[in-house]
Amino acid sequence: MRLSYISLTARDAAALGGFYAEVFGYRERRPAKRLSGASVSRGNGLKDADIYSIWLALPDDPGPFLEILEYTQTLNRGRPEVNAPGFGHLAFVVNDLNRVLRDVLRCGGAMQGEVTNFGSAEAPVLIVYVRDPEGNLLELESNHRP
């Protein structure tokens, strides 16, 4: 058994995919495509489902990929909170926390918390929570000195 992928539902899949490509280096795993029809609706239980689907993967990681879906018909919900039950956040180990943090903000993301050392002065483990442009929570972690 293995984890196959993580799926995010987006208001604008192309823009959100661009954010993950620019900030984290994700690349297209397969060409984007439209999913619709009876089998799609039966599979997800949504009547008349019509979905724009993007699959992205990290270039050096054969592990789970990122699927970004944009439904023709969407429901609006409030911004997810850190302590709300259900899906929490995506976590990324990064080599240069300061650079990635600058890229997140430059590309439309936002701060959620503050950079915090969960390690020690001798062996720092820096973490911070941020949000992507659609408000999804991300954790950035670096085991390297900034």
Side-chain angles (χ1 to χ4, degrees):
M1 188 180 303
R2 67 182 172 83
L3 180 62
S4 178
Y5 61 90
I6 306 297
S7 182
L8 293 175
T9 299
R11 292 170 191 85
D12 183 337
L16 193 59
F19 170 85
Y20 283 93
E22 178 72 20
V23 173
F24 298 104
Y26 273 93
R27 298 292 173 247
E28 186 178 82
R29 179 177 171 151
R30 64 129 166 91
K33 65 182 183 179
R34 178 127 334 253
L35 306 171
S36 63
S39 61
V40 173
S41 290
R42 275 195 313 273
N44 67 18
L46 184 64
K47 185 179 183 321
D48 299 323
D50 184 29
I51 308 164
Y52 179 62
S53 171
I54 298 173
W55 285 7
L56 302 173
L58 291 168
D60 300 325
D61 186 353
F65 63 93
L66 183 61
E67 173 188 62
I68 301 177
L69 302 177
E70 179 182 334
Y71 288 79
T72 301
Q73 296 178 14
T74 60
L75 299 175
N76 288 319
R77 65 177 177 189
R79 187 173 90 157
E81 295 303 328
V82 173
N83 60 343
F87 173 78
H89 62 273
L90 298 176
F92 294 93
V93 175
V94 299
N95 290 328
D96 185 341
L97 184 80
N98 290 326
R99 182 199 58 79
V100 174
L101 191 53
R102 281 191 307 271
D103 288 347
V104 164
L105 299 174
R106 178 179 55 80
C107 293
M111 297 296 296
Q112 171 63 36
E114 298 176 19
V115 176
T116 303
N117 185 357
F118 270 40
S120 65
E122 300 78 31
V125 177
L126 303 178
I127 68 105
V128 64
Y129 277 46
V130 297
R131 291 184 182 271
D132 71 18
E134 293 208 2
N136 299 301
L137 287 161
L138 310 175
E139 179 182 347
L140 308 178
E141 177 184 322
S142 176
N143 294 328
H144 304 282
R145 293 186 187 275

